[in-house]
Amino acid sequence: MPQTARISKAVIPAAGLGTRFLPATKAMPKEMLPVVDEPAIQYVVAEAARAGLDNVLMVTGRSKRALEDHFDRVPTLEAVLEAKGDERRLAAVQESNNLGDIHYVRQSDPKGLGHAVLCAKWHVGDEPFAVLLGDDLIDAQDGLLAEMIRVQEATGGSVIALMEVEPEKISAYGCADVTVIEGEDHVRVNGLVEKPAPAEAPSNLAVIGRYVLHPAVFEVLERTEPGRGGEIQLTDALQELATREDDGGGVYAVVFRGRRYDTGDKLSYLKAVVTLAVEREDLAELRPWLKEFSAAL
Ligand code: G1P
């Protein structure tokens, strides 16, 4: 049934240990790694804000204090920049504390993505909400989240984002079996499987880190047993919702064809930094340098 209340809450799981980026992440949260000059997490919070999600809950863990500090004001730093008349840097410093109302909850036990989302239950309450995975950087131009919110409001179910990947890469992702809906851009999800072996994958459509979920997912997560990797998987809870016809049931997907980077993966992270830096006017010298550099490779 279509809903009328505007979706305003975003949940950002950020409790992961960042083992793929050691030793850089030994004493610093992986979400704080800079992509050009902003920490990766700021792109994600800004993406939520652009889609109208100004109530953000970060699910953090031990050693994640830097995240709270980053989205908080720093009056002493602001005063120094103001006294110097450095408007540009002052605006850059203030940007991260003006992105929305940011709340924090701790996931004390790293029991998986499904468990992290369940930690948001009391904050979210009984309304649809978005989940944005901090590692996934989605190109700002694409408006993916806004489209997913539109599909959630139209269908009343839950909405995931899918991306075509090379078949042998599917085992790094959740994978969906879908049916095209006549006359619609979104598809219906018949089933989901977390990180299948390529031979067992129902398609090459990979789940990427954006979700707009019906609150019915919480009740399912409460009884979802550990799955792949011994973790409580969001994919498993969504698999149940996909097969349900009742209120809260039904999973739909938007197939994303834009640019996405996994900033938790070294190669993808480097590509994100270069791509975004090349587009920046203040770094215009990078492009000719890159051409020269690659010609000499
Ligand atoms: C998580 C999800 C997986 C999804 C992926 C997208 O896995 O469990 O279904 O495809 O995010 O980035 P993770 O990468 O946290 O292991």
Side-chain angles (χ1 to χ4, degrees):
M1 196 195 300
Q3 269 122 7
T4 46
R6 193 180 69 86
I7 299 176
S8 64
K9 290 179 183 163
V11 173
I12 304 185
L17 294 176
T19 43
R20 288 191 288 176
F21 250 107
L22 283 168
T25 48
K26 189 176 167 193
M28 181 181 81
K30 61 173 174 171
E31 293 81 7
M32 290 302 293
L33 285 168
V35 176
V36 191
D37 51 7
E38 276 178 31
I41 189 81
Q42 190 172 330
Y43 288 86
V44 178
V45 176
E47 181 194 339
R50 268 196 311 279
L53 309 169
D54 51 13
N55 180 323
V56 174
L57 178 74
M58 278 195 203
V59 185
T60 67
R62 204 161 284 282
S63 317
K64 298 284 181 168
R65 264 283 304 278
L67 291 177
E68 294 189 35
D69 289 342
H70 182 73
F71 291 100
D72 196 4
R73 288 194 53 202
V74 194
T76 45
L77 180 58
E78 289 180 36
V80 170
L81 295 169
E82 215 163 338
K84 278 192 192 166
D86 193 340
E87 303 279 332
R88 193 175 57 81
R89 290 204 175 86
L90 180 63
V93 162
Q94 288 173 334
E95 201 180 318
S96 58
N97 22 288
N98 291 330
L99 287 173
D101 200 1
I102 305 186
H103 309 262
Y104 301 88
V105 65
R106 272 202 181 202
Q107 180 188 16
S108 313
D109 259 339
K111 290 197 223 155
L113 177 59
H115 179 253
V117 171
L118 189 53
C119 291
K121 179 180 170 180
W122 296 110
H123 182 87
V124 168
D126 194 25
E127 52 187 272
F129 63 105
V131 175
L132 290 84
L133 303 192
D135 278 349
D136 281 32
L137 223 134
I138 305 278
D139 197 301
Q141 298 153 18
D142 292 301
L144 171 65
L145 206 48
E147 170 67 2
M148 293 174 72
I149 291 172
R150 192 194 63 70
V151 174
Q152 198 287 326
E153 286 169 347
T155 61
S158 291
V159 184
I160 62 172
L162 297 172
M163 199 167 180
E164 278 189 66
V165 298
E166 290 159 37
E168 64 274 17
K169 299 235 167 99
I170 197 71
S171 55
Y173 300 92
C175 176
D177 171 38
V178 305
T179 307
V180 169
I181 310 172
E182 189 95 22
E184 295 287 357
D185 283 340
H186 60 271
V187 295
R188 168 110 201 180
V189 176
N190 307 314
L192 285 156
V193 40
E194 180 69 4
K195 305 198 173 108
E200 276 138 41
S203 74
N204 68 334
L205 290 169
V207 176
I208 58 170
R210 298 292 180 270
Y211 306 79
V212 180
L213 303 176
H214 189 283
V217 74
F218 291 127
E219 176 269 319
V220 181
L221 282 170
E222 274 168 347
R223 51 183 170 72
T224 299
E225 296 287 335
R228 186 103 199 158
E231 297 190 338
I232 298 172
Q233 297 292 351
L234 180 57
T235 304
D236 294 345
L238 291 173
Q239 156 64 20
E240 177 181 322
L241 288 181
T243 56
R244 264 169 49 178
E245 301 282 341
D246 59 342
D247 189 28
V251 177
Y252 302 85
V254 172
V255 181
F256 180 65
R257 296 199 166 80
R259 294 189 300 188
R260 169 209 177 245
Y261 303 95
D262 174 3
T263 54
D265 170 76
K266 273 177 245 185
L267 184 61
S268 189
Y269 168 80
L270 290 170
K271 288 180 185 172
V273 173
V274 174
T275 310
L276 295 174
V278 155
E279 288 166 2
R280 286 262 298 251
E281 274 175 31
D282 58 334
L283 298 171
E285 284 172 39
L286 182 63
R287 188 184 289 262
W289 177 83
L290 260 180
K291 280 191 184 151
E292 223 175 279
F293 180 76
S294 59
L297 282 179

